[in-house]
Amino acid sequence: MMLTPAHHFRNIERKPEYLQLEKCMPPPYPGPVGTMWFIRDGCGIACAIVTWFLVLYAEFVVLFVMLIPSRDYAYSIINGIMFNLLAFLALASHCRAMLTDPGAVPKGNATKEFIESLQLKPGQVVYKCPKCCSIKPDRAHHCSVCKRCIRKMDHHCPWVNNCVGENNQKYFVLFTMYIALISLHALVMVGVHFLHCFEEDWTNLPRAYGLDRAGPAEAPVSLHAKAQPLTVRPAECSSFSPPTTVILLILLCFEALLFLIFTSVMFGTQVHSICTDETGIERLQHKDRQQQARSWQPLKETFGGDFSLNWCNPFSGQPEIPPDKDLVRQVSQSDTDDTLATEEPTGTTDEEPVEVMDA
C-alpha cells in the first residue's frame, strides 16, 4: 500500500477484522470526581523523590548556611521570603504536574456500541489504538509508560513521573520556570556569600587562632588578651566550620547551575511549542501540520484565559476537555488510499507508541 507523506508514521490495515472490537472491554466505570492521577513507575517515582530532595537541600543550605547566620536582618528576611516562596511554588507546580491527568483517553472505549453512538457520516473515520483499545483522538499518542493514549502528548517526563499533555502542560511550564528562578537566586546568593565571607571573616580565622605567617611566638599578645577567651567570628557567615561551609556552597552552586541551564532550556522549548501549536513528538516526527502564526491564543488556551496572575498560579485549573473531542476525523482527498470510509465499520491505525524522555 502506498503511503502519503502525511501518513509516513502510520500503518493502516484495510481489513475491518483487524479492529477486533469484540476483544475491547467496555469502558471502566468512571471514578469519583477528583480521583488522583498517579503513575506507578519505579524510575519516575525515584526521579520525583530526587527532585524534592534537591530542592530541600537547596532550602537547607540557603537558610542555615547563608541567611540565618547573617547579621544583615533585612537581607536575610527579604531573600528568605523570596526563596521560600519560589521553592513552594516550584514544588506545588511539580505536584500538580505529577498528579494531574495529562489528558488520557478513556481506556477500552473502542466498542461497537460506542462507535455506533458517534453516528459517523460519510467521509468520517475513527482510529483505534491497539495498545490500550481506545478510540484515538487527533494528535493523541500512546505512552508506553502511562499505558494510555494522551491528548496532545508532548513527552513523558520522569522528573514529574507523568506525561506532559493537554491538561497539565501549564503546570510543567510553571515547574520549569520556578526551578530556573530559584536556581538563579541561589547562584546569586552563593556568589555574594563567598565574597563577603572570604573578605571579612574567613581571612581573619587563622589570625584568631594565631596561625598567621607571623607565627604564634612572634604575634604580640598582651597579658589582658591572654586572659580573655578566644573569639572566632566565622559564625557570622555560617553555623558550620569553614571547610564544611565551602563544600555545602560548592555543591549548591553546581546543582543550581545545572538545573538553571536544564530548566531554562525546557521552559523555552515548552513556550515555543505552545506558541507554534506543535508538540515535541510532532516536531521529532516532522509531521506536515499546518503551522499557525505565533500568537497569544495558544498561550491563553493553555494557561486558562487572558493574561493575569493566574498564569503563574499552580493552583488555578484549566478548562475541561470534552470526552468526545476530536474522536472523529474527516478524510481528505489525499487520504482516500490509506483510510477506510464509514461504509466499512471503522478505520484503524496501528501507530507505534512514541516515548520521548528529557534527560
Side-chain angles (χ1 to χ4, degrees), residues 13-14 27 53 56 60 102 104 127 132 134 157 201 203 259 284 316:
E13 291 286 346
R14 283 194 167 278
F53 171 78
L56 294 179
F60 169 79
Y127 296 102
C132 58
S134 62
C157 178
D201 288 323
T203 54
F259 278 91
L284 291 176
S316 62

Side-chain angles (χ1 to χ4, degrees), residues 216-228:
E218 301 178 7
V221 181
S222 64
L223 295 176
H224 178 72
K226 289 182 179 180
Q228 297 296 326

Side-chain angles (χ1 to χ4, degrees), residues 179-313:
I179 290 294
L181 289 177
I182 64 173
S183 299
L184 179 61
H185 191 192
L187 279 175
V188 172
M189 285 192 291
V190 168
V192 172
H193 198 75
F194 266 121
L195 292 176
H196 171 71
C197 290
F198 273 120
E199 287 293 331
E200 294 190 7
D201 288 323
W202 293 349
T203 54
N204 297 327
L205 183 61
R207 185 179 304 172
Y209 283 104
L211 299 177
D212 56 348
R213 292 184 177 180
E218 301 178 7
V221 181
S222 64
L223 295 176
H224 178 72
K226 289 182 179 180
Q228 297 296 326
L230 182 64
T231 58
V232 184
R233 299 174 57 224
E236 297 176 2
C237 282
S238 174
S239 302
F240 303 92
S241 63
T244 303
T245 301
V246 171
I247 293 175
L248 292 174
L249 291 178
I250 289 178
L251 290 178
L252 176 61
C253 186
F254 276 110
E255 174 194 341
L257 183 61
L258 176 64
F259 278 91
L260 174 62
I261 297 174
F262 174 71
T263 54
S264 298
V265 172
M266 286 300 301
F267 174 78
T269 302
Q270 289 296 305
V271 172
H272 178 267
S273 296
I274 295 174
C275 292
T276 58
D277 195 25
E278 183 183 36
T279 66
I281 293 179
E282 292 168 350
R283 186 167 55 253
L284 291 176
Q285 292 183 344
H286 304 289
K287 284 194 174 182
D288 298 331
R289 282 184 47 81
Q290 184 178 359
Q291 296 295 325
Q292 299 179 358
R294 299 182 185 180
S295 64
W296 284 86
Q297 188 59 34
L299 287 173
K300 292 180 182 179
E301 295 176 357
T302 301
F303 288 89
D306 295 331
F307 178 76
S308 65
L309 288 178
N310 278 332
W311 279 29
C312 302
N313 181 13

